């Protein structure tokens, strides 16, 4: 099959590598010339503009978008619009907000598949887990590509109609936030607690047969191995947050309580205060107010 890939960063390059390796013909475009050159090196046909990209694709266009979520998706779809018809298929493999995907599916001249992608750049060797929403015929048509990009035929599935793929991926990310938070809390207690523990060793033992073994726990083990048991110079600031925010908003809208996911998200926001959390500073001062407890002061 011929596949066009737009967006050749950390994730798009893997889509190119895996589809080329599976024997598909890949046309590749990115705003960044170096990214296009890297895709050409990997065996893709490089395009130097969107017009050149669509010219290189055959009459039935199968296009995979792997650009940042948000405006870049809309801009790219606008540029493609005049070149697409209802025999074509566009896949958005990024972390788009599911309601944006529903809107795009309604206005896109091609069949539109919203595809939640999990595994991250570190999952390149194994392949990804793909959660796909949109028309069944378009999903069936792209199956050989999904087989190549995913871990295999079991690594992808159609979740339901438009929006459902990105909806499932959004909630996946909420779960990811909460799991990261709970591993963080457990290791913090081990680090601050009664014994002088080698946390890489703890994680390694847990990863061999323990109830809580997982890929995230393997990544904890890797972090302690590479950074040291006290995490060396790693700062206490956590970036990201959009997919977790959407998950919490959806929980509120559906009246489904998500205390763990919310707490994990709040910890991220709290980690970004430049000079300590104001609420913690006020609680510190209030303890003096009612209890005359000593007030630790900043330098
Ligand atoms: N990095 C990760 O762990 C994962 C990322 N995702 C999602 O995949 C998407 C891509 O992520 P990454 O590859 O990590 O980002 P990245 O920043 O590494 O790559 C994005 C690429 O898109 C290109 N680009 C931006 N606007 C463009 C446009 N209008 N036309 C053509 N190319 C354009 C950039 O030049 C860049 O090469 C995002 O939606 C992200 O949330 C999904 C799962 C995991
Ligand atoms: O989707 C992913 C993993 O599954 C991406 O790594 C995403 O960036 C994670 O979300 P955040 O940036 O909010 O931590």
């Amino acid at each position: 099959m011929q596949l066009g890939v737009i967006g050749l960063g950390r994730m798009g390059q893997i889509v190119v590598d895996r589809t080329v390796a599976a024997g598909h013909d890949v046309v590749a475009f990115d705003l960044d010339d170096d990214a296009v050159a890297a895709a050409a090196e990997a065996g893709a046909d490089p395009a130097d503009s969107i017009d050149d990209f669509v010219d290189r694709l055959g009459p039935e266009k199968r296009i995979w978008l792997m650009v940042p979520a948000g405006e870049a998706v809309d801009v790219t779809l606008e540029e493609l619009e005049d070149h697409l018809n209802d025999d074509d298929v566009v896949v958005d493999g990024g972390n788009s907000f599911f309601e944006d995907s529903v809107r795009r599916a309604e206005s896109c001249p091609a069949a539109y598949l919203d595809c939640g992608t999990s595994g991250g750049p570190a999952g390149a060797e194994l392949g990804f887990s793909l959660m796909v929403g949109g028309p069944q015929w378009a999903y069936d048509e792209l199956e050989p590509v999904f087989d190549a990009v995913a871990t295999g035929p079991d690594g992808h599935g159609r979740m339901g109609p438009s929006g459902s793929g990105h909806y499932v991926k959004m909630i996946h990310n909420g779960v990811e936030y909460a799991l990261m938070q709970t591993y963080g809390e457990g290791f913090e207690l081990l680090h601050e607690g009664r014994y002088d523990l080698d946390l890489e060793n703890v994680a390694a033992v847990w990863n061999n047969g323990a109830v809580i073994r997982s890929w995230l726990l393997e990544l904890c083990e890797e972090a302690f191995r590479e950074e040291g048991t006290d995490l060396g110079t790693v700062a206490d600031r956590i970036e990201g947050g959009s997919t977790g925010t959407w998950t919490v908003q959806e929980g509120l809208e559906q009246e489904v309580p998500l205390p763990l996911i919310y707490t994990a998200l709040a910890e991220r926001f709290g980690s970004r205060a430049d000079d300590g959390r104001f609420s913690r500073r006020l609680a510190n001062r209030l303890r003096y107010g009612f209890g005359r407890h000593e007030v630790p002061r900043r330098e």
Side-chain angles (χ1 to χ4, degrees):
M1 178 181 290
Q2 188 195 43
L3 180 73
V5 181
I6 301 178
L8 307 168
R10 289 166 293 188
M11 297 293 285
Q13 184 63 45
I14 296 167
V15 173
V16 170
D17 291 343
R18 294 187 67 84
T19 45
V20 167
H24 300 293
D25 294 328
V26 177
V27 180
F29 174 67
D30 194 292
L31 295 177
D32 178 350
D33 294 341
D34 291 342
V36 178
E41 186 85 5
D45 179 13
D48 59 19
S49 65
I50 287 281
D51 285 342
D52 183 32
F53 174 82
V54 290
D55 284 348
R56 287 167 192 272
L57 291 176
E60 288 188 344
K61 297 178 179 55
R62 277 82 185 96
I63 298 173
W64 188 299
L65 307 183
M66 213 65 198
V67 298
E71 202 189 342
V73 179
D74 285 316
V75 167
T76 308
L77 287 172
E78 249 169 60
E79 286 175 335
L80 287 171
E81 198 172 42
D82 292 342
H83 305 280
L84 298 174
N85 63 52
D86 58 9
D87 291 331
D88 299 327
V89 182
V90 174
V91 179
D92 174 12
N95 272 327
S96 295
F97 182 47
F98 75 98
E99 286 180 358
D100 288 340
S101 301
V102 172
R103 168 180 57 77
R104 288 165 187 152
E106 280 165 4
S107 62
C108 183
Y112 197 78
L113 295 174
D114 50 286
C115 173
T117 304
S118 180
E125 269 177 41
L126 290 176
F128 297 137
S129 164
L130 303 176
M131 298 138 254
V132 187
Q136 182 74 54
W137 78 264
Y139 174 77
D140 294 343
E141 177 65 26
L142 267 284
E143 202 159 352
V145 166
F146 291 139
D147 285 348
V149 175
T151 54
D154 294 337
H156 60 88
R158 180 175 175 269
M159 303 293 111
S162 293
S164 61
H166 282 148
Y167 188 78
V168 173
K169 178 59 177 22
M170 171 185 83
I171 295 167
H172 160 288
N173 279 28
V175 172
E176 181 180 291
Y177 283 37
L179 288 174
M180 287 163 63
Q181 178 66 22
T182 190
Y183 283 125
E185 289 180 11
F187 280 111
E188 182 168 340
L189 184 54
L190 290 169
H191 186 255
E192 305 298 325
R194 290 169 189 254
Y195 295 95
D196 185 16
L197 295 164
D198 174 347
L199 297 186
E200 181 194 345
N201 185 36
V202 174
V205 170
W206 280 355
N207 274 321
N208 280 277
V211 169
I212 58 171
R213 65 189 181 275
S214 71
W215 188 45
L216 277 174
L217 188 55
E218 288 171 23
L219 297 177
C220 293
E221 187 182 335
E222 177 186 281
F224 295 127
R225 183 167 55 253
E226 293 178 359
E227 304 287 347
T229 209
D230 62 356
L231 291 179
T233 57
V234 176
D236 61 347
R237 180 183 172 90
I238 321 166
E239 298 292 355
S242 49
T243 50
T245 300
W246 302 334
T247 308
V248 169
Q249 284 168 342
E250 178 64 359
L252 293 173
E253 221 162 288
Q254 300 298 329
E255 298 188 9
V256 173
L258 305 173
L260 300 182
I261 296 174
Y262 172 71
T263 302
L265 178 67
E267 280 292 326
R268 286 197 186 201
F269 293 156
S271 77
R272 297 174 198 171
D274 284 338
D275 197 15
R277 296 279 310 277
F278 193 85
S279 58
R280 289 181 192 154
R281 291 171 55 212
L282 182 58
N284 172 17
R285 183 59 180 74
L286 290 177
R287 287 185 71 254
Y288 171 79
F290 59 71
R292 293 293 179 258
H293 301 293
E294 194 182 334
V295 181
R297 300 270 171 191
R298 302 192 286 194
E299 290 301 306

